[in-house]
Amino acid sequence: MRLESRRDFRKDLHLKGMIFLNEQEQSITVKNLSITGLLVELDQLKGGEIDIKDIFNSLQSSTLVDVFLPSMRLAGEMEVIRADIKKDKILIALEFKSVSYDVEDFIYRRKMYRKRMPGNGRILLNGAYYPFTAINVSVEGLMIQMNEAVTDDVLNTTVSFEFEKLEMNGEARIVWIEHPQPEKALLGLNYVHLQKAKLNAIPRFEDRYA
């Protein structure tokens, strides 16, 4: 019974989603699914060999790409292990790397995609700079971790910050604070003003299928 159900599920896959390639979001259709990854087809084809060359060029620096599948409530990073052209369609084989499956549908209801992006930065609190490590980043804000206890009196205040990985600096509002441990704090920041930022490296993945 289990094998039969699995075959039925694999045959009936025409799920829609998004992939972030070469700093561009593109629509995809999932052709096949396994426990290790996906086979997807790019829905928009611009020009055969030129497109496949663009894909390979974009993978020179990193083979990791962001993928969002709303109907499966799945989002995160996958690795491109193969890209081919078949009958004028581009097929991409992807392997799961760092993906989240949210049974409560929270990922699906977020306005913007949050990209996992560990990296160092610093934030100005109460007149002093403190280092932080980023957890994830979106086009609207970022989640950071500090090895400091942060009091609730800074909640909803606007602070200066810098984030090295995206060459980002500016001001953000602290919208929430959590303390997973006594001397550690998680902060949610929403951008107020950015003097400089490479946000084109972050997909939006707005919910287009609701």
Side-chain angles (χ1 to χ4, degrees):
M1 291 296 292
R2 289 181 179 178
L3 290 176
E4 183 177 345
S5 298
R6 186 178 302 169
R7 284 197 299 270
D8 289 343
F9 179 67
R10 290 171 65 93
K11 290 178 181 179
D12 196 32
L13 277 183
H14 289 285
L15 306 175
K16 294 294 184 179
M18 300 294 297
I19 190 171
F20 192 63
L21 275 172
N22 200 22
E23 297 185 349
Q24 291 184 343
E25 295 178 23
Q26 297 203 42
S27 299
I28 56 173
T29 299
V30 178
K31 306 295 290 184
N32 207 336
L33 169 70
S34 73
I35 60 173
T36 59
L38 307 170
L39 178 66
V40 304
E41 178 185 294
L42 288 185
D43 291 344
Q44 298 176 354
L45 184 61
K46 296 179 181 178
E49 294 182 2
I50 297 177
D51 276 354
I52 199 74
K53 290 178 181 178
D54 288 343
I55 290 174
F56 284 124
N57 289 337
S58 69
L59 298 173
Q60 292 299 311
S61 58
S62 175
T63 56
L64 293 178
V65 296
D66 295 277
V67 175
F68 177 40
L69 302 177
S71 62
M72 292 185 65
R73 304 190 295 276
L74 184 147
E77 286 184 336
M78 301 185 189
E79 184 171 12
V80 177
I81 58 175
R82 190 177 70 255
D84 299 306
I85 295 179
K86 186 175 182 180
K87 295 182 179 179
D88 295 328
K89 297 290 185 179
I90 293 181
L91 298 176
I92 302 176
L94 302 165
E95 184 177 274
F96 297 131
K97 286 298 177 183
S98 177
V99 296
S100 297
Y101 173 72
D102 195 336
V103 294
E104 299 298 329
D105 214 16
F106 183 61
I107 291 174
Y108 186 57
R109 289 184 283 110
R110 285 175 176 168
K111 292 182 179 179
M112 296 296 168
Y113 172 71
R114 299 182 185 182
K115 178 177 176 62
R116 186 183 67 89
M117 184 175 284
N120 298 322
R122 63 175 189 166
I123 186 171
L124 182 62
L125 285 175
N126 299 321
Y129 275 103
Y130 295 91
F132 69 74
T133 301
I135 305 298
N136 57 55
V137 183
S138 77
V139 296
E140 294 185 335
L142 68 162
M143 174 182 171
I144 65 173
Q145 177 175 291
M146 299 176 57
N147 294 324
E148 305 281 345
V150 178
T151 57
D152 290 338
D153 61 345
V154 298
L155 192 63
N156 293 317
T157 61
T158 299
V159 296
S160 298
F161 77 100
E162 299 172 2
F163 180 45
E164 298 174 7
K165 199 158 189 177
L166 290 179
E167 301 176 8
M168 179 187 293
N169 65 78
E171 295 181 331
R173 185 168 60 90
I174 301 175
V175 293
W176 57 264
I177 302 172
E178 291 183 3
H179 294 91
Q181 299 177 25
E183 295 302 320
K184 290 185 181 292
L186 294 175
L187 279 68
L189 307 178
N190 274 4
Y191 310 133
V192 174
H193 171 69
L194 294 178
Q195 296 178 355
K196 184 181 179 182
K198 294 176 62 178
L199 289 182
N200 58 343
I202 307 297
R204 300 176 70 89
F205 286 161
E206 295 177 85
D207 181 7
R208 306 179 186 189
Y209 304 106

